[in-house]
Amino acid sequence: ASREQVQDPKQMQQLLEEEAITIWDSVPTTLNHVLYGLEEQEEGISQKALRLALVSGDWIPVDLAERAKAYFPNVQVIGLGGATEATVWSNYYPIQEVTADQTGIPYGKPLANNTFYILDAGRHPVPYGVAGELYIGGVGVARGYLNDPAKTSASFMANPFVPQGRMYRTGDMGRMLPDGNMEFLGRQDYQVKIRGYRVELGEIENQLLKHEAVREAVVIAREDAAGGKYLCVYMVLQEETASAEIREHLGRALPSYMIPGYMMPMERLPLTPNGKLNRKALPEPDARMHSEERYEAASTETERKLLGIWQDVLGVENIGMRDDFFAIGGHSLRATTLVSKIQKTMNVELTLQDVFRLPTIKEQARKIEGMSKMAYSAIEPAKPGKDYPLSSAQRRLYVLHEVEPESTRYNMPGVVELTGKIDADRLEQAVRSVIARHESLRTSFTWIDGEPRQQVHEDVALEWVCRDADEAQARELTRSFVRPFELSQAPLLRTGLLRTEWSGCKGMRRTGCRSMQRKRRCWSCRLTGRVRQCQAAKADGFMRRSART
């Protein structure tokens, strides 16, 4: 078939008729389009010679084989998988009876003389049922990519399970089913994180195709202006159906974070010249596409209050009552802020779980109207006193310190490299100002009447170190900073400044800029460019056009 025929279901039907085709080989999308075209015709097709349909290269709709047999009674549909790097096909699965609760077509078993390995990140075999990355071994594995040794070494490697063998890293995810067949879980590229959860887009697509109104569907992850990811589904419908009904259908089988925020009906999905889905040609969703319902304004006082809070949290003005919080810029951190503002403003205890479960203003308002009011009270500072009780976390660490007073296990050391001229006095003053501002940095711990207590001091003596050092001395002084604290002496921190001499960079030594080598005054060039770009060098008059750093 020519490229033009592949993209036109009617031409493909004509080809089947005229040539009495017996063997079909394509991506699932192409066969799917032909079958939908046949289903729309009253007469169907007279030539039914097709006996073998091979489909590979993409997700296989669960009902594809059953629908194919409705027009070609003698056809056997076989799913194939593999990679060009392993001579195209390495595994197969004859699609027989499909159960009602089946969510996908298995990837199948290896062809003769081919081997599949499902390995973890350390390239160790994973147990049955556990997801891992698919590797292909056997006679079909290629030698590598022509004239591209870097790419070859990244994808082709020695087979640790077969002496002298090689295997190919596919980048696909899968797992082993109890019956010995593999399950394809999609490309690693198609696995995304939504609200901190790993989502497999193919799983959502399979659930969408189970809805009687959905003919074709593809789910992709997009990014909003703030960099947050959201799910968008593009679907071809057999009959006009509200997105709310499809959401409800998905909600019965999938968790809330896997429900696409945007649902975009299309007349047909774009295809590449070889019949595969063209994901790059899918249009950007419009701001109102996340809800197929018409815009609905706030109609109750509760909805109006929630609308104001949503607008403040999301920075979005035109929000409808049925708009999904997570589809218009919301994420877990903003959801936490939303809950806090609702509790403070409306005096109700709406939880974070409620926001995930009820992501629209309409649903949240209905929930809030059925809740009893509660007085919101801010956390007030404790009254001044000589000492205070310990929290459970403080008590645990204090007891551990008493058991091992010389331990530095819970010290949190850190080194920050500063480049340029540093005013040591002002830096020390800044550190002392921070300590003066925060009571937790002026707190010590001691035993009072047989109980560990914490004491907040008005003023503390800060241990401040400021000295010059070469690189070896700096390393030794840095190590000496990590030593035990006496918990009864505040502040429980120490800080300081080490000034190291500049010994001249390789570029300076190579170009012979003796003036700069002698003075050792280049503070900020950092091996990044020409000396004439170094402001410190300009200020001190140590610049030569020929010198490079």
Side-chain angles (χ1 to χ4, degrees):
S2 66
R3 289 186 177 183
E4 292 75 15
Q5 288 174 315
V6 169
Q7 294 187 335
D8 187 342
K10 290 186 177 180
Q11 290 192 46
M12 294 299 287
Q13 292 174 29
Q14 186 178 355
L15 189 64
L16 281 164
E17 289 262 25
E18 294 177 353
E19 301 292 340
I21 300 297
T22 57
I23 297 179
W24 174 287
D25 171 22
S26 77
V27 293
T29 310
T30 305
L31 180 57
N32 209 26
H33 282 173
V34 172
L35 292 176
Y36 278 126
L38 290 171
E39 290 166 356
E40 291 174 352
Q41 297 177 8
E42 294 183 2
E43 296 182 359
I45 189 171
S46 59
Q47 179 56 262
K48 300 182 178 181
L50 192 65
R51 60 181 177 82
L52 185 62
L54 310 175
V55 287
S56 62
D58 212 337
W59 290 94
I60 302 174
V62 175
D63 62 348
L64 185 66
E66 183 180 342
R67 288 169 46 231
K69 288 181 180 180
Y71 293 94
F72 307 98
N74 299 319
V75 71
Q76 168 68 66
V77 182
I78 296 180
L80 295 164
T84 303
E85 291 85 347
T87 322
V88 188
W89 290 336
S90 302
N91 59 286
Y92 73 105
Y93 181 78
I95 305 174
Q96 306 294 345
E97 184 179 355
V98 178
T99 60
D101 60 343
Q102 194 165 325
T103 59
I105 301 298
Y107 206 38
K109 298 178 180 179
L111 292 166
N113 301 314
N114 289 269
T115 311
F116 268 80
Y117 305 98
I118 305 178
L119 310 179
D120 60 19
R123 294 180 188 161
H124 301 115
V126 298
Y128 269 55
V130 176
E133 188 173 357
L134 295 175
Y135 290 74
I136 302 176
V139 298
V141 177
R143 284 179 290 174
Y145 298 102
L146 184 64
N147 299 326
D148 196 339
K151 191 176 180 182
T152 297
S153 63
S155 300
F156 295 87
M157 57 207 67
N159 189 335
F161 312 105
V162 178
Q164 309 301 319
R166 285 166 55 77
M167 63 182 185
Y168 168 67
R169 182 179 187 178
T170 65
D172 297 331
M173 301 297 291
R175 63 180 175 181
M176 189 64 73
L177 299 174
D179 62 1
N181 284 297
M182 294 178 291
E183 181 182 15
F184 181 68
L185 299 177
R187 295 284 303 168
Q188 284 186 322
D189 306 341
Y190 295 166
Q191 290 187 333
V192 297
K193 273 200 171 183
I194 303 292
R195 305 182 214 164
Y197 296 95
R198 187 171 295 281
V199 173
E200 175 50 61
L201 303 182
E203 186 177 352
I204 305 173
E205 292 170 5
N206 281 331
Q207 289 297 335
L208 282 164
L209 293 173
K210 287 188 173 183
H211 193 285
E212 58 184 11
V214 179
R215 172 183 293 182
E216 297 175 80
V218 59
V219 181
I220 66 172
R222 292 191 177 275
E223 282 194 5
D224 56 25
K229 280 189 169 61
Y230 64 89
L231 298 177
C232 179
V233 57
Y234 300 85
M235 52 191 176
V236 179
L237 300 175
Q238 297 189 111
E239 57 188 62
E240 189 173 342
T241 306
S243 61
E245 181 183 327
I246 297 177
R247 287 176 192 275
E248 186 178 348
H249 163 75
L250 290 176
R252 288 194 289 267
L254 300 174
S256 61
Y257 60 85
M258 292 181 72
I259 310 299
Y262 289 74
M263 294 192 173
M264 185 173 176
M266 301 182 71
E267 290 187 7
R268 61 177 299 180
L269 299 177
L271 302 178
T272 63
N274 64 359
K276 284 190 176 183
L277 176 69
N278 189 353
R279 294 175 182 268
K280 295 181 180 179
L282 294 169
E284 286 280 351
D286 182 79
R288 299 251 64 83
M289 284 178 185
H290 57 271
S291 176
E292 205 176 73
E293 313 292 338
R294 292 185 177 181
Y295 172 80
E296 183 177 334
S299 58
T300 67
E301 183 62 26
T302 303
E303 290 178 355
R304 282 188 284 272
K305 287 183 179 180
L306 280 173
L307 176 61
I309 297 172
W310 275 45
Q311 290 172 336
D312 183 38
V313 172
L314 296 173
V316 178
E317 291 298 325
N318 192 24
I319 301 177
M321 297 302 98
R322 298 187 184 275
D323 291 349
D324 190 296
F325 178 79
F326 299 101
I328 55 176
H331 48 65
S332 56
L333 294 179
R334 285 180 174 172
T336 303
T337 304
L338 180 71
V339 167
S340 176
K341 287 182 177 290
I342 290 175
Q343 290 178 350
K344 186 174 182 179
T345 305
M346 305 182 72
N347 293 325
V348 292
E349 196 171 0
L350 193 75
T351 66
L352 190 60
Q353 288 77 11
D354 290 331
V355 175
F356 282 98
R357 191 169 53 86
L358 309 170
T360 68
I361 292 179
K362 176 70 72 176
E363 293 171 316
Q364 291 177 12
R366 192 180 298 117
K367 170 81 173 179
I368 289 172
E369 287 168 354
M371 298 172 69
S372 57
K373 299 287 183 179
M374 55 172 286
Y376 174 85
S377 58
I379 298 176
E380 298 292 338
K383 294 181 179 180
K386 292 183 179 180
D387 54 77
Y388 306 90
L390 271 60
S391 68
S392 58
Q394 287 176 319
R395 181 183 293 271
R396 180 175 64 87
L397 287 176
Y398 187 80
V399 170
L400 289 172
H401 182 269
E402 290 291 285
V403 174
E404 295 182 276
E406 299 302 317
S407 173
T408 59
R409 185 177 304 164
Y410 293 100
N411 283 26
M412 296 192 299
V415 177
V416 178
E417 184 178 356
L418 305 176
T419 303
K421 299 185 70 173
I422 305 298
D423 188 325
D425 293 335
R426 294 187 67 182
L427 180 61
E428 181 184 359
Q429 181 183 351
V431 172
R432 293 185 184 278
S433 296
V434 172
I435 294 173
R437 183 183 306 149
H438 297 285
E439 293 174 331
S440 60
L441 301 180
R442 292 182 277 108
T443 299
S444 65
F445 301 84
T446 188
W447 289 89
I448 298 178
D449 296 332
E451 284 288 326
R453 307 282 289 183
Q454 56 182 315
Q455 296 177 313
V456 178
H457 305 269
E458 290 297 322
D459 190 25
V460 293
L462 173 68
E463 178 185 347
W464 174 266
V465 176
C466 180
R467 59 175 293 182
D468 295 331
D470 58 27
E471 290 187 12
Q473 291 172 326
R475 283 195 294 269
E476 184 60 35
L477 288 168
T478 301
R479 281 194 291 266
S480 70
F481 246 54
V482 184
R483 59 185 187 273
F485 282 97
E486 176 53 59
L487 298 189
S488 61
Q489 301 295 322
L492 298 179
L493 62 91
R494 59 179 67 96
T495 184
L497 180 67
L498 300 177
R499 288 187 294 222
T500 59
E501 292 185 350
W502 181 79
S503 58
C505 62
K506 293 179 180 178
M508 286 297 174
R509 292 195 293 271
R510 185 172 63 251
T511 55
C513 183
R514 295 190 182 90
S515 178
M516 293 197 70
Q517 288 180 0
R518 183 173 65 254
K519 296 291 186 179
R520 296 183 177 179
R521 293 294 301 277
C522 181
W523 299 100
S524 61
C525 67
R526 305 283 301 157
L527 304 177
T528 58
R530 298 177 182 273
V531 173
R532 63 170 176 267
Q533 296 172 338
C534 177
Q535 299 301 317
K538 287 183 179 180
D540 292 327
F542 302 135
M543 183 186 76
R544 288 180 58 178
R545 287 182 180 273
S546 62
R548 296 171 180 265
T549 59

